[in-house]
Amino acid sequence: MLRLSGITKSYGGRRVLDDITFDVVPGRLTGFVGGNGAGKTTTMRIVLGVLARDAGEVTLDGAALTAADRRRFGYMPEERGLYPKMKVHEHITYLARLHGFSASDAAARARALLERLGLGERLNDLVETLSLGNQQRAQIAAALVHDPEVLILDEPFSGLDPLAVDVVAGVLQERAAQGVSVLFSSHQLDVVERLCDDLVIIAGGTVRAAGARDAMRAEHGSRRYELVSGTDAGWLRDEPGVTVTDFDGGYALFDVEDDATAQRVLRRAVDNGDVASFAPQHPTLAQIFKEVIQ
């Protein structure tokens, strides 16, 4: 497990990271979200040893990170770092060779990964001729080709169309299923919410919330329910302990003061007619994000 404990960093007199603490667990996707300048990239660069920390520690399986450990990491920076004049397959093969794979194994790995990422028809194209989205896919291949144990990706979905997002998301889920620890940042909160097992929300250089996605939803959720019924649900407005926030005939969205009130509403709804659905409503990641950074 990758663990960050009390990471602090200042530039001059300005503290940009303050007591950053969270875990990246093997086999799970951890989404790292925050606004521009929140400290995401600085945190990632400290994990990779590119920047020095002022205080705190980064450990892997309980031991301080070494240069050898970091060679088992895969990293994708937000800025593209591929050689524009190299052919795509040649480039990814070259990177695999740098990690010690034989020429034939490196070429096979590069081809298989590029095809999985949807670049099978662009293997012999120069990197500079690729669209920005395809360059992003190639950059992801560069981070993955040596089968890293830890993946750190800075905005991996930037510039990707919805189909490409699904492809890349599938690849990351496959790696997590193989036991890889995956940490990625993104401004696309809907993608993060759909993919991640764990979430870390950072603002102003401090962690505002961290934990399992579903637990965070439950922690920040209100007692809000949705009722879809075959009969008019106007009676909800007169129910004690109920606040209706949206209503349209047989549809109602409402808050209750406690669980007993919710059960009472459900019983009355069933008595009044056919109930198509009655379910609690969980807050979206965007709603949680707005709540915790205020």
Side-chain angles (χ1 to χ4, degrees):
M1 179 173 66
L2 181 68
R3 170 165 288 172
L4 288 73
S5 302
I7 300 299
T8 299
K9 177 69 176 178
S10 297
Y11 291 111
R14 186 171 68 93
R15 179 162 291 188
V16 295
L17 296 179
D18 187 6
D19 192 26
I20 299 297
T21 300
F22 64 87
D23 297 334
V24 185
V25 180
R28 295 174 70 85
L29 288 156
T30 300
F32 195 25
V33 299
N36 292 327
K40 302 186 300 297
T41 298
T42 300
T43 300
M44 290 178 166
R45 288 175 175 171
I46 287 174
V47 172
L48 293 159
V50 177
L51 288 176
R53 63 194 182 275
D54 297 335
E57 62 178 353
V58 184
T59 59
L60 184 65
D61 298 331
L65 275 181
T66 65
D69 291 329
R70 290 187 172 102
R71 285 195 288 272
R72 291 147 47 200
F73 285 21
Y75 174 54
M76 195 203 84
E78 186 175 8
E79 308 83 8
R80 294 180 177 87
L82 301 179
Y83 298 125
K85 299 296 183 182
M86 288 186 75
K87 294 180 180 178
V88 177
H89 181 247
E90 176 187 6
H91 198 326
I92 305 305
T93 299
Y94 168 70
L95 294 174
R97 293 281 283 147
L98 290 180
H99 283 280
F101 294 100
S102 68
S104 59
D105 195 10
R109 283 173 170 273
R111 178 180 292 273
L113 183 54
L114 289 166
E115 289 177 347
R116 176 67 183 88
L117 286 165
L119 292 175
E121 296 181 355
R122 312 303 299 271
L123 298 180
N124 294 315
D125 292 356
L126 297 180
V127 170
E128 67 181 359
T129 67
L130 299 179
S131 67
L132 293 180
N134 281 339
Q135 287 184 30
Q136 187 81 338
R137 298 193 208 201
Q139 190 82 59
I140 292 167
L144 294 172
V145 71
H146 58 294
D147 287 339
E149 296 177 18
V150 177
L151 264 176
I152 299 178
L153 310 172
D154 201 349
E155 295 290 343
F157 301 103
S158 177
L160 298 182
D161 62 42
L163 291 178
V165 167
D166 288 343
V167 170
V168 172
V171 170
L172 297 184
Q173 288 172 320
E174 291 167 5
R175 295 300 171 117
Q178 294 166 9
V180 174
S181 301
V182 182
L183 174 69
F184 76 88
S185 69
S186 180
H187 287 100
Q188 295 165 262
L189 298 183
D190 57 330
V191 176
V192 176
E193 184 169 22
R194 174 162 57 93
L195 279 184
C196 285
D197 305 292
D198 301 311
L199 296 168
V200 179
I201 300 176
I202 184 173
T206 64
V207 173
R208 302 297 179 88
R213 179 193 59 190
D214 293 342
M216 198 176 294
R217 278 175 169 170
E219 178 184 351
H220 293 274
S222 61
R223 291 188 174 92
R224 177 162 293 182
Y225 286 79
E226 180 186 67
L227 169 66
V228 181
S229 174
T231 58
D232 189 287
W235 52 269
L236 268 170
R237 294 194 178 96
D238 300 322
E239 279 292 311
V242 172
T243 303
V244 177
T245 59
D246 192 12
F247 174 80
D248 184 12
Y251 172 84
L253 191 66
F254 57 95
D255 297 331
V256 297
E257 63 182 15
D258 53 32
D259 293 337
T261 302
Q263 293 303 311
R264 187 183 74 244
V265 167
L266 175 58
R267 287 194 296 270
R268 181 167 178 184
V270 171
D271 290 341
N272 285 352
D274 294 334
V275 174
S277 69
F278 183 89
Q281 298 298 293
H282 298 294
T284 65
L285 176 54
Q287 291 169 328
I288 295 172
F289 179 78
K290 291 176 183 177
E291 178 182 334
V292 301
I293 67 171
Q294 289 177 349

